[in-house]
Amino acid sequence: MSVSSALLLMDRNLLTRKQNARLDKQNDLGWKLFGKMPLRENAQKESKKVQKEYEDQAGRASRPPSPKQNVRKNLDFEPLSTTALILEDRPANLPAKPAEEAQKHRQQYEEMVVQAKKRELKEAQRRKKQLEERCRQEESIGNAVLTWNNEILPNWETMWCSRKVRDLWWQGIPPSVRGKVWSLAIGNELNITHELFHICLARAKERWRCFSAGGPDVDSEDAGFSAADREASLELIKLDISRTFPNLCIFQQGGPYHDMLHSVLGAYTCYRPDVGYVQGMSFIAAVLILNLDTADAFIAFSNLLNKPCQMAFFRVDHGLMLTYFAAFEVFFEENLPKLFTHFKKNSLTPDIYLIDWIFTLYSKSLPLDLACRIWDVFCRDGEEFLFRTALGILRLFEDILTRMDFIHVAQFLTRLPEDLPADEVFASIAAVQMQSRNKKWAQVLTALQRDSREMEKGSPSLRH
């Protein structure tokens, strides 16, 4: 054989091997499910055939694809990649899949599809239910807004105490009218004007300037209060503002409501230097600022803190605070005798959990939207509702609290769960009866105050 003939034969053999290798490579493409190369023609036909058989068995006739299918209104679930993965023939260089194994894989696939459709259908039903509930709430709020704006607010003096308005109040005041309703309900017994607020604010700014410059503060009205007390009050305001609703990031330095909160608290320390600033006031002022403009928030804030209960706590009147605690325990024992006995046994006194709740009007302890609903009814019913709310919370967690010791109860009540459902809380509050031996809250509190005064008169040691 000549050299040229030998070279020609080698080229042909090499070309044949390349063609065979190319064909083998194409035969293996059916397993590249996630690549850019398509499945081989037989695999595509087999996959479509199996898919059609499954659709016929499921009672759903196959139909040509439509753009509307992307919306998935019928929640069709077609994991075609899974179909190809399970039902794809093995490569030619491997033994064929046994019939039993193929049947097993088909059953597994069908089970996977059924379970996936169930999960997707359940999730779709959950989303639909949430959407319907949200639409229902929005419609209810919209109707309530119209009622408040068109019927109640224009006729406030005659309608605010009617049964219809009280029922609407309990359901929660719409946010768009909440500030106006709070202002009317709290009132302005102190006759504070916007001009007085700006005078107090200017005085507070001057005081801040003097302290910053290190100069003396010469306000004659504050002569009875030491410079150290006034400076400590200003420093405490600055510190507390940074800790007020930190998750909202709107009251901290640089936030949109920082200056407003600082102005309200600073003006109040000038308006009531005898009270000054007390830790916890920032939460009350912040809630008001979220619903009112600055001057109206200051007016509501000053009148709210002038109520007997708030003044007793913020001026730290120990005798009166103990009277409020004693009145609370009367209704505690009446409504929750088992839990009351458990608390007594473990020396759990009301001051451990009530002080923080009362000081901040629950705005620090409860989710903000729930706290605002508490405020709604508090503005309607007064201080009694604060203690009724406390009993409602204890009632809601009675089963849990009766199994806890002192430490765990104290920790739980000072850090309540963050996901408290408002409906459950208000249902628990509604179940609390604020009547003991035919006496209501005001009567019990008055009787205890009278007893306290008589004890002080009869015992000189109690006067000090």
Side-chain angles (χ1 to χ4, degrees):
M1 183 182 295
S2 64
V3 176
S4 59
S5 299
L7 290 174
L8 180 60
L9 180 60
M10 291 177 62
D11 290 341
R12 288 177 179 175
N13 291 338
L14 181 60
L15 179 60
T16 302
R17 284 197 295 271
K18 287 183 179 179
Q19 290 175 346
N20 292 336
R22 190 178 299 111
L23 289 174
D24 291 339
K25 186 175 182 181
Q26 290 176 354
N27 290 336
D28 291 340
L29 289 178
W31 286 91
K32 295 187 176 181
L33 302 177
F34 305 104
K36 296 181 180 180
M37 303 296 291
L39 294 172
R40 64 180 184 272
E41 184 179 359
N42 292 337
Q44 290 177 339
K45 291 180 180 179
E46 182 68 18
S47 175
K48 292 179 180 179
K49 180 180 178 182
V50 173
Q51 183 68 25
K52 187 177 184 302
E53 290 177 358
Y54 172 76
E55 291 174 355
D56 293 339
Q57 292 174 2
R60 177 170 53 85
S62 60
R63 52 185 178 272
S66 167
K68 292 183 179 181
Q69 288 179 343
N70 295 330
V71 183
R72 306 183 72 181
K73 291 184 178 180
N74 296 324
L75 300 177
D76 293 335
F77 186 80
E78 301 176 356
L80 296 179
S81 61
T82 306
T83 305
L85 178 62
I86 294 177
L87 300 177
E88 174 62 37
D89 292 336
R90 289 180 176 176
N93 60 333
L94 294 177
K97 185 184 295 185
E100 292 182 1
E101 185 178 358
Q103 181 64 23
K104 178 183 177 182
H105 287 174
R106 181 174 298 180
Q107 291 176 353
Q108 289 176 344
Y109 163 72
E110 292 176 356
E111 291 174 1
M112 290 167 57
V113 171
V114 169
Q115 294 299 323
K117 290 188 71 173
K118 285 182 179 180
R119 288 193 300 269
E120 192 165 341
L121 181 60
K122 186 176 181 180
E123 177 64 19
Q125 290 174 343
R126 186 187 66 82
R127 290 197 299 267
K128 182 181 178 181
K129 186 177 180 180
Q130 285 183 339
L131 181 60
E132 290 176 349
E133 178 65 20
R134 190 179 303 117
C135 292
R136 186 190 64 79
Q137 290 179 352
E138 290 176 356
E139 183 179 1
S140 176
I141 292 173
N143 294 333
V145 169
L146 292 175
T147 303
W148 281 99
N149 281 328
N150 298 335
E151 299 179 25
I152 302 173
L153 291 177
N155 305 289
W156 175 260
E157 294 298 331
T158 58
M159 288 196 65
W160 77 270
C161 57
S162 66
R163 183 59 183 268
K164 177 183 178 180
V165 175
R166 290 181 67 84
D167 290 342
L168 280 174
W169 222 318
W170 181 267
Q171 296 169 14
I173 301 173
S176 60
V177 297
R178 178 170 274 152
K180 179 64 175 177
V181 174
W182 284 1
S183 293
L184 291 171
I186 294 171
N188 188 12
E189 294 181 355
L190 300 174
N191 295 318
I192 300 175
T193 62
H194 286 203
E195 289 74 19
L196 179 58
F197 163 68
H198 291 298
I199 291 172
C200 293
L201 179 58
R203 186 177 299 167
K205 289 180 177 180
E206 179 63 22
R207 182 179 296 177
W208 293 332
R209 188 190 62 78
C210 291
F211 276 122
S212 299
D217 193 354
V218 296
D219 283 353
S220 59
E221 295 181 12
D222 299 339
F225 307 95
S226 67
D229 290 339
R230 294 193 297 271
E231 186 170 8
S233 184
L234 295 175
E235 287 299 318
L236 189 56
I237 289 176
K238 185 186 300 184
L239 179 63
D240 255 15
I241 287 179
S242 65
R243 298 183 296 199
T244 303
F245 297 120
N247 294 335
L248 298 181
C249 300
I250 57 176
F251 294 105
Q252 287 63 41
Q253 185 72 38
Y257 291 96
H258 173 270
D259 292 344
M260 294 171 64
L261 182 56
H262 203 265
S263 297
V264 170
L265 296 175
Y268 184 77
T269 60
C270 291
Y271 175 69
R272 289 299 300 266
D274 57 321
V275 179
Y277 177 79
V278 181
Q279 196 168 7
M281 286 182 177
S282 62
F283 280 90
I284 297 177
V287 173
L288 291 170
I289 286 172
L290 290 174
N291 293 276
L292 294 163
D293 61 35
T294 310
D296 290 330
F298 173 77
I299 295 172
F301 180 76
S302 301
N303 281 277
L304 188 59
L305 265 56
N306 198 53
K307 304 293 183 183
C309 180
Q310 277 62 50
M311 190 56 66
F313 277 78
F314 282 112
R315 298 192 72 171
V316 196
D317 186 335
H318 291 288
L320 194 49
M321 288 172 67
L322 291 175
T323 303
Y324 275 105
F325 293 150
F328 170 77
E329 288 195 304
V330 169
F331 294 94
F332 188 0
E333 184 177 15
E334 188 78 22
N335 285 273
L336 304 167
K338 182 180 177 182
L339 186 60
F340 177 80
T341 302
H342 179 70
F343 275 30
K344 283 294 185 181
K345 181 180 179 181
N346 288 274
S347 302
L348 277 154
T349 53
D351 58 289
I352 294 174
Y353 49 92
L354 274 185
I355 284 181
D356 193 47
W357 294 352
I358 301 300
F359 263 106
T360 62
L361 302 181
Y362 296 95
S363 57
K364 181 181 177 182
S365 308
L366 297 176
L368 184 57
D369 56 342
L370 176 56
C372 285
R373 282 197 60 184
I374 299 294
W375 278 50
D376 290 343
V377 188
F378 162 63
C379 290
R380 184 193 76 179
D381 295 350
E383 64 187 34
E384 174 185 331
F385 189 72
L386 296 178
F387 297 93
R388 187 181 180 188
T389 299
L391 292 174
I393 293 173
L394 295 178
R395 184 181 182 277
L396 184 63
F397 298 106
E398 181 178 12
D399 293 339
I400 299 174
L401 295 172
T402 50
R403 297 194 298 267
M404 292 181 177
D405 57 14
F406 176 90
I407 296 296
H408 290 92
V409 169
Q411 290 176 341
F412 183 87
L413 293 179
T414 52
R415 189 177 293 273
L416 293 170
E418 297 180 357
D419 55 348
L420 283 176
D423 292 339
E424 292 184 15
V425 173
F426 270 80
S428 183
I429 295 172
V432 174
Q433 299 297 321
M434 296 301 285
Q435 189 166 337
S436 176
R437 299 176 183 177
N438 296 324
K439 290 184 178 180
K440 297 182 178 181
W441 168 265
Q443 294 172 314
V444 172
L445 183 64
T446 301
L448 289 170
Q449 288 176 325
R450 185 173 58 250
D451 294 344
S452 177
R453 287 193 295 267
E454 290 177 357
M455 288 181 63
E456 289 182 2
K457 291 179 181 179
S459 177
S461 61
L462 292 176
R463 299 175 189 172
H464 306 286

